[in-house]
Amino acid sequence: VNSLGLDAAHLGKSTHAFYCTHLRSEPSMDSAVALITAMICGPLALYAAFGASYFASWTEEEELMELERLYRERGRGESFVLSSWRWCRWAYFVFDILVAMWLRYYLDLYLDIQAMKIFWEHGDIWFFVSNFGGIVPEHRD
């Protein structure tokens, strides 16, 4: 885009090069650039999302209609948040059962069997029997 002899692409590249060579090393410039970007991109994003109606002045009736629409959206949002919270709790519970209990149990059993194998090979019968007693559950009638 050329306007009054100014090439927009060249201006953008020059600005980026100036920022990279001179301003990037200063810590305060990061927050200033973020603030300026938010001030420029924020209204543009609102305009892109809601159109010119976001910036127009509304009558009282239009404001009430918009408020009702927002409450309906909020109700849908609350149900989504609750359902996602329930799903996360269910997923955490399943993960806790599968990993923290089931997998841990079988890992412990595997390590006990390995220890018993080592005790048996070295002739430590009492360690073998005590470890076996800890693995086999006690049966009561």
Side-chain angles (χ1 to χ4, degrees), residues 18 20 25 60 80 107 115:
F18 179 75
C20 289
S25 60
E60 187 174 335
F80 174 73
L107 178 65

Side-chain angles (χ1 to χ4, degrees), residues 3-134:
S3 177
L4 299 175
L6 181 65
D7 186 7
H10 179 69
L11 180 64
K13 288 179 183 178
S14 300
T15 305
H16 184 260
F18 179 75
Y19 169 73
C20 289
T21 56
H22 299 297
L23 301 178
R24 185 187 286 179
S25 60
E26 297 182 31
S28 62
M29 287 309 296
D30 288 337
S31 58
V33 167
L35 183 65
I36 291 170
T37 304
M39 289 173 56
I40 292 171
C41 293
L44 290 176
L46 287 173
Y47 187 79
F50 298 104
S53 63
Y54 187 82
F55 297 98
S57 56
W58 291 349
T59 64
E60 187 174 335
E61 182 181 334
E62 290 173 333
E63 287 178 3
L64 287 174
M65 288 174 49
E66 180 67 13
L67 189 59
E68 288 175 4
R69 185 187 69 79
L70 289 174
Y71 276 126
R72 284 193 304 270
E73 291 287 326
R74 180 179 169 196
R76 282 187 229 127
E78 286 175 354
S79 64
F80 174 73
V81 167
L82 283 175
S83 64
S84 63
W85 177 78
R86 286 184 194 123
W87 188 87
C88 287
R89 295 302 299 167
W90 178 82
Y92 178 74
F93 174 73
V94 168
F95 177 79
D96 196 28
I97 294 297
L98 288 178
V99 174
M101 297 177 81
W102 181 78
L103 187 63
R104 184 176 166 255
Y105 171 76
Y106 280 104
L107 178 65
D108 186 44
L109 180 64
Y110 173 76
L111 293 174
D112 279 339
I113 291 172
Q114 292 297 321
M116 289 171 54
K117 182 179 169 185
I118 292 170
F119 295 150
W120 185 264
E121 289 172 354
H122 289 126
D124 296 326
I125 300 300
W126 291 111
F127 285 118
F128 175 81
V129 170
S130 65
N131 201 0
F132 184 74

